[in-house]
């Protein structure tokens, strides 16, 4: 394994330790320490962190403290995009619109057979 890959992996593991850090000051201190490790590593692939982390430090520390996530929204948007790609060529927008809740399993599909008698 190359030294660069070994350093990148150790940086990843070091960043993961932030999840066991408590308190806003502790998280901010860990992020600052991690940025120092990144700078010392000399890996160019991590250079974007030097501009984004200091600019978003408050939001990053809050992201580790608060239990909120936009994961559900991202997942729903991704499912709609996949459905849109699959449904290319559907002639009626109404059918596409009905497939969205079916894909998300929020609405159970109901089958109505033509000519079938309803049981009473």
């Amino acid at each position: 394994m190359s030294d660069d890959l070994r350093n990148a992996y150790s940086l990843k593991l070091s960043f993961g330790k932030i999840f066991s850090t408590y308190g806003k000051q502790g998280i901010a201190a860990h992020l600052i320490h991690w940025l120092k490790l990144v700078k010392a590593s000399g890996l160019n692939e991590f250079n974007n962190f030097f501009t984004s982390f200091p600019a978003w430090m408050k939001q990053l520390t809050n992201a580790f403290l608060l239990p909120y996530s936009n994961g559900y929204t991202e997942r729903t948007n991704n499912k709609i995009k996949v459905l849109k790609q699959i449904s290319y060529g559907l002639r009626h927008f109404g059918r596409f619109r009905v497939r969205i809740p079916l894909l998300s399993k929020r609405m159970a599909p109901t089958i109505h057979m033509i000519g079938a008698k309803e049981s009473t």
Side-chain angles (χ1 to χ4, degrees):
M1 182 177 351
S2 71
D3 288 336
D4 288 345
L5 186 59
R6 186 175 289 111
N7 287 338
Y9 187 72
S10 68
L11 287 172
K12 176 219 172 248
L13 292 177
S14 175
F15 186 80
K17 292 178 184 176
I18 198 168
F19 292 103
S20 62
T21 305
Y22 296 102
K24 197 169 199 170
Q25 288 80 18
I27 292 171
H30 192 324
L31 285 172
I32 292 168
H33 174 70
W34 187 78
L35 283 173
K36 289 178 184 176
L37 290 175
V38 168
K39 193 169 200 169
S41 74
L43 295 172
N44 293 332
E45 291 80 11
F46 289 89
N47 284 344
N48 289 338
F49 290 111
F50 298 122
T51 55
S52 58
F53 272 36
W56 294 90
M57 187 62 75
K58 181 180 176 184
Q59 290 83 357
L60 286 169
T61 54
N62 285 337
F64 287 104
L65 290 172
L66 301 174
Y68 307 118
S69 171
N70 69 339
Y72 176 77
T73 305
E74 293 293 333
R75 184 183 75 209
T76 303
N77 285 340
N78 186 38
K79 284 185 177 185
I80 291 172
K81 286 179 183 180
V82 169
L83 175 64
K84 185 178 173 185
Q85 188 176 16
I86 292 170
S87 300
Y88 182 75
L90 281 180
R91 295 181 183 170
H92 303 286
F93 178 74
R95 291 181 183 158
F96 172 71
R97 191 171 174 189
V98 166
R99 288 182 76 177
I100 292 173
L102 290 176
L103 182 68
S104 67
K105 297 180 183 175
R106 289 234 176 238
M107 186 176 88
T110 56
I111 302 173
H112 296 287
M113 297 179 69
I114 299 174
K117 296 182 180 178
E118 292 186 24
S119 60
T120 55

